[in-house]
Amino acid sequence: MQATCGSGACGCAAPAADTVGAPVAHVNGVPLHARGQLLPDEALRQRACTELLRQQAQRAGLLAADDQPGTDGATSAEAAQAIERLLDEALQIPEPSEDACQRYHAAHPALHGQGERARLRHVLFAVTPGVDVRALRQRAEALLIELRCAHDGGQRFAEAARQWSNCPSGQEGGELGWLARGDCAPEFAREVFGSAEVGVMARLVHSRFGLHVVEVCEREAGRPTSFEEVRPAVAMLLRQQAWVNALRQYLQVLAGEAEIGGVVLDAAGTPLVQ
């Protein structure tokens, strides 16, 4: 399922009249998609970043030389583990200083506000024993694109939740109601709370239950908290930001050494590696 809005305003690529003869994007000769397939730019950049890391893991001896990616954007479990080991070795992230944590807290007083709430709805693609995770992710990513491109007042989201969601809330159009951080799994809460984003979130939210397409319908800011209350959370956030910056720089180095065609990595705001 590959949905497009046709206008390109949401980052979706409208199909060209003739895609059969379109060039195949590649990294060092390894194709990133099937011939004739068109992908949104961000999805193509994500695949290119992952392929750069997969090939580097092979060069580092962390992954077998005969490991081959598919043209559907998925990597093998061995490749995913090798990429994790590669990044653990390559990215040295220093601990944020006390001054840096205090400055960040002062600049973002509501980031970890007590009592913060959000009214949410979601479509859950549950990861259960025996499920084809690759196909599940493709279906979830395609739906995410479709729903971000929908401008119908939320009707399509409710229909998609009833059709696809593995959560009982699907029968209610995916409605979860008003939730606070403590009402959610920690990994879900980290993705949803602490920002001003409203609408269908730009990325899939991963949790222990599976893959979520999440829409933030409304937000209520919480009361500001003291630095002492949130110092560990601020330090973790700064470490995450430093990790993303280090990853971006590392990918720029790898891209500069690679032969890349059909995709512009410099346009990527944040490297997406899954």
Side-chain angles (χ1 to χ4, degrees):
M1 176 173 59
Q2 178 70 50
T4 64
C5 65
S7 67
C10 300
C12 302
D18 177 18
T19 63
V20 175
V24 176
H26 68 89
V27 173
N28 291 323
V30 177
L32 300 177
H33 57 86
R35 183 170 298 279
Q37 182 184 21
L38 287 180
L39 295 175
D41 290 344
E42 187 142 334
L44 198 57
R45 289 194 293 267
Q46 174 183 340
R47 293 190 183 188
C49 290
T50 302
E51 180 56 22
L52 280 169
L53 294 172
R54 191 195 68 82
Q55 293 183 20
Q56 181 63 20
Q58 287 180 316
R59 287 191 289 271
L62 300 173
L63 180 64
D66 60 357
D67 180 87
Q68 294 293 329
T71 55
D72 57 0
T75 57
S76 65
E78 293 78 12
Q81 293 170 1
I83 289 173
E84 288 185 11
R85 292 197 299 271
L86 173 70
L87 295 179
D88 285 341
E89 296 176 4
L91 307 184
Q92 301 298 319
I93 309 302
E95 283 295 312
S97 68
E98 191 75 4
D99 286 345
C101 291
Q102 289 181 345
R103 287 196 302 271
Y104 190 90
H105 177 260
H108 304 83
L111 183 62
H112 298 284
Q114 294 293 329
E116 179 188 6
R117 298 197 308 161
R119 185 167 67 84
L120 307 174
R121 57 180 180 171
H122 76 151
V123 181
L124 170 64
F125 292 85
V127 176
T128 55
V131 71
D132 184 339
V133 178
R134 180 183 303 178
L136 191 74
R137 179 182 297 167
Q138 289 177 327
R139 190 182 308 138
E141 289 176 342
L143 182 63
L144 174 65
I145 293 170
E146 177 183 343
L147 295 181
R148 280 181 61 79
C149 292
H151 300 287
D152 59 357
Q155 179 179 348
R156 178 66 190 112
F157 196 106
E159 293 172 350
R162 294 187 183 96
Q163 179 180 2
W164 294 107
S165 186
N166 299 129
C167 176
S169 66
Q171 299 308 307
E172 304 299 326
E175 293 283 352
L176 295 173
W178 285 96
L179 299 176
R181 286 179 179 269
D183 299 324
C184 311
E187 64 275 14
F188 184 94
R190 281 195 297 270
E191 295 289 335
V192 171
F193 294 96
S195 79
E197 185 177 6
V198 175
V200 179
M201 297 186 67
R203 295 180 59 178
L204 293 175
V205 174
H206 294 66
S207 81
R208 65 196 67 182
F209 305 108
L211 308 174
H212 308 253
V213 179
V214 176
E215 181 180 17
V216 181
C217 302
E218 297 179 76
R219 288 187 184 273
E220 286 184 355
R223 71 166 180 83
T225 53
S226 69
F227 174 71
E228 289 72 21
E229 289 179 276
V230 298
R231 199 270 182 220
V234 170
M236 178 181 295
L237 188 147
L238 291 180
R239 281 194 297 271
Q240 291 173 340
Q241 290 183 348
W243 188 90
V244 169
N245 289 334
L247 174 58
R248 182 183 295 113
Q249 293 170 2
Y250 186 53
L251 284 168
Q252 288 174 347
V253 171
L254 296 180
E257 300 171 347
E259 180 186 345
I260 299 174
V263 55
V264 180
L265 293 184
D266 288 344
T270 300
L272 304 176
V273 182
Q274 298 182 357

